Amino acid sequence: SNLDIHSKSIIIRANTFRSVNLKEITFRENCNINVEKHAFTRWETSSLVKWPNVVQLIVDGKFGDKTSPNNRSPIPIIHENAFLGYPVKSIQHYKQYSYLCQFWSWIVNREAKHHTKKRVHLSSSQHNMFDSLCKVDIEILGRICNFVPQPPKDLVDAIVNDLHSHDCVMRKIPKDIIWKVVEYIS
């Protein structure tokens, strides 16, 4: 049997799908999904989960090319250990996605913050719309720089564009050098 999830927002808790006789689970596009640790345990390996297209775009390194900073699809959150008892290749795939999703969520949150600041500052007398990297930002950038395999080009481009446009120090550095600076400070 099949399960189509039409909800706009869903949290899948631990052991939700445990030895269930489902052949396919389908999530709708533009759905806010949060899959917790061990949500899928000892599920039939022949079963299939159809995620929103954004999941594959992120894994393939095409999310940044297919979306824009003011128009990003919701990024499904899949815990790195959401799948228990699956083949190693599947588990590695979801772990990779989990990390990439965390990195993309960080940059999307920065983009949203800047977009909100611009709207607020356009109507005020203040003109300072630039920030600087905080300790948490530098830690996340360090994780991105050390990601194996290398972080996808679309993610690096989104980070460089954000820093060049909105960081009080990085905006003064040529765009083609920013990633080297990020690698150095991380």
Side-chain angles (χ1 to χ4, degrees):
S1 64
N2 297 338
L3 174 63
D4 292 333
I5 299 177
H6 296 284
S7 176
K8 285 186 174 186
S9 183
I10 187 166
I11 297 172
I12 301 175
R13 304 232 184 259
N15 298 312
T16 297
F17 295 106
R18 180 180 50 186
S19 301
V20 176
N21 290 328
L22 287 173
K23 291 295 177 199
E24 184 175 290
I25 297 176
T26 304
F27 292 94
R28 68 177 269 180
E29 293 296 323
N30 296 314
C31 178
N32 287 308
I33 302 169
N34 185 346
V35 181
E36 295 182 348
K37 184 177 182 179
H38 300 157
F40 294 85
T41 56
R42 290 178 290 285
W43 202 41
E44 292 294 321
T45 55
S46 62
S47 298
L48 177 68
V49 179
K50 288 188 176 179
W51 301 102
N53 290 332
V54 67
V55 172
Q56 197 60 46
L57 288 174
I58 288 173
V59 171
D60 291 344
K62 296 178 181 175
F63 180 66
D65 300 334
K66 302 287 184 186
T67 61
S68 65
N70 296 329
N71 187 24
R72 303 259 194 228
S73 302
I75 298 172
I77 298 166
I78 302 174
H79 189 281
E80 64 182 283
N81 295 315
F83 293 83
L84 184 66
Y86 273 68
V88 171
K89 188 174 181 179
S90 294
I91 291 171
Q92 288 173 339
H93 172 81
Y94 287 112
K95 279 189 180 195
Q96 179 184 8
Y97 171 79
S98 177
Y99 294 129
L100 290 172
C101 132
Q102 291 169 38
F103 304 154
W104 269 110
S105 294
W106 172 76
I107 195 66
V108 166
N109 288 335
R110 283 184 57 89
E111 291 169 345
K113 182 175 74 171
H114 302 312
H115 182 71
T116 302
K117 272 187 178 182
K118 280 184 182 176
R119 285 198 329 242
V120 171
H121 288 296
L122 288 176
S123 62
S124 72
S125 61
Q126 294 179 331
H127 297 290
N128 183 7
M129 292 186 280
F130 300 105
D131 357 330
S132 58
L133 294 172
C134 68
K135 182 179 178 183
V136 171
D137 293 332
I138 292 171
E139 288 171 358
I140 290 172
L141 286 169
R143 289 178 51 213
I144 295 169
C145 288
N146 293 317
F147 186 70
V148 176
Q150 287 185 321
K153 183 180 178 328
D154 67 328
L155 176 62
V156 171
D157 289 347
I159 292 167
V160 167
N161 288 334
D162 179 77
L163 294 175
H164 190 258
S165 299
H166 301 288
D167 185 81
C168 65
V169 174
M170 298 286 191
R171 70 186 181 98
K172 297 176 183 179
I173 299 172
K175 230 177 178 180
D176 57 334
I177 298 175
I178 290 176
W179 189 248
K180 293 293 179 197
V181 172
V182 167
E183 290 175 323
Y184 178 76
I185 66 172
S186 301

